[in-house]
Amino acid sequence: MTDTPPDRRPPEFGGERLLVIGTGAIAAMYLPFWLNWLTTAYRTLEVQVVLTSSAARFVSAQALSVLVRREVVMDRWPEENRPDALHVRLTEWSDSVVVYPACVNFISRLALGLADTPALLTLQCTSAPIAVAPSLPPGAMDNPTLQRHLATLAERRNVVVSPVRAVTSLTTGRRDAAGAPPLSTLIGMLEELRGSLSGEGARMTEGVRTAEGVRTAEGSRTAEAEAV
């Protein structure tokens, strides 16, 4: 599936530590291009890449490590004993997440609540904003089961699912595949979600302060009544 270059001006993005999860869609072959754009457009942004084993068929983990100046994490449980848990480390480190590209298998497992790999468990546990970019083969978008999975993900308050666009399948040569948008578009959607979640957090905090104020005032009135 083919891709297009990003917009000239990158969208504003306030995240500081971005977790990029690449899955087994063939569009993973474009990750070097997009990570180069990402680190150029946002020079202070820290990026950690996680690759599934199927994504590693299309792109080199070593090449991505050079681009983000950080070792790529493979989406499998470490064989050696460690004092910490990989999914907890990824969850606590990242303040924003993109799944780019998101293949049919990964989307379905995520929507079903499965957590049998570090990436999936991270996504099930994090409260950070997550942007999911489906990249689908011909015919997949017509599958009602996949449609339900995408709808399920979109219902999560911290998840945004990008719309797909018609792209040329590298297999059929026809424009019958459903491609992810440019990463620049996804970053804009992620920033919008970040702002929305920040607003919700501020309202929740204000609500707690208001409730505490009401309780304090009621306690004062009760104390005054007892004193009388």
Side-chain angles (χ1 to χ4, degrees):
M1 287 170 274
T2 58
D3 217 320
T4 57
D7 297 331
R8 289 189 176 184
R9 296 185 60 183
E12 293 185 6
F13 182 60
E16 297 178 352
R17 296 177 303 278
L18 177 66
L19 181 63
V20 177
I21 299 175
T23 77
I26 196 171
M29 64 188 292
Y30 298 114
L31 276 173
F33 171 81
W34 285 116
L35 290 176
N36 182 61
W37 170 82
L38 191 65
T39 55
T40 301
Y42 308 98
R43 295 188 178 277
T44 61
L45 179 66
E46 295 184 63
V47 180
Q48 174 67 68
V49 177
V50 177
L51 277 187
T52 67
S53 57
S54 54
R57 296 179 302 159
F58 303 118
V59 67
S60 162
Q62 184 175 359
L64 301 186
S65 295
V66 173
L67 287 170
V68 300
R69 295 180 292 278
R70 187 188 299 267
E71 184 178 357
V72 168
V73 173
M74 297 307 299
D75 191 25
R76 53 176 175 258
W77 299 110
E79 295 181 0
E80 70 278 6
N81 293 325
R82 293 183 57 94
D84 61 349
L86 177 56
H87 64 282
V88 175
R89 183 152 44 95
L90 293 173
T91 300
E92 293 188 346
W93 178 85
S94 56
D95 60 23
S96 306
V97 185
V98 295
V99 184
Y100 192 92
C103 67
V104 174
N105 183 56
F106 195 89
I107 289 169
S108 300
R109 293 165 68 200
L110 179 60
L112 290 171
L114 299 183
D116 55 347
T117 72
L120 283 168
L121 188 50
T122 297
L123 293 172
Q124 304 296 6
C125 296
T126 186
S127 59
I130 303 168
V132 178
S135 182
L136 312 172
M141 242 354 250
D142 296 328
N143 186 321
T145 301
L146 179 61
Q147 292 173 8
R148 287 194 295 270
H149 288 331
L150 291 171
T152 296
L153 290 178
E155 289 174 357
R156 287 179 54 173
R157 62 180 292 273
N158 67 321
V159 174
V160 61
V161 179
S162 72
V164 296
R165 58 201 177 107
V167 295
T168 301
S169 167
L170 295 178
T171 302
T172 68
R174 300 187 298 269
R175 290 181 63 82
D176 53 3
L183 184 57
S184 53
T185 300
L186 197 67
I187 291 295
M189 297 177 66
L190 184 61
E191 179 63 14
E192 186 175 342
L193 177 60
R194 288 183 72 257
S196 174
L197 293 176
S198 297
E200 288 182 12
R203 288 193 295 272
M204 290 176 64
T205 300
E206 185 61 32
V208 170
R209 291 173 179 168
T210 302
E212 289 176 347
V214 170
R215 286 196 295 270
T216 301
E218 290 178 346
S220 299
R221 286 196 296 270
T222 300
E224 290 174 358
E226 290 176 348
V228 173

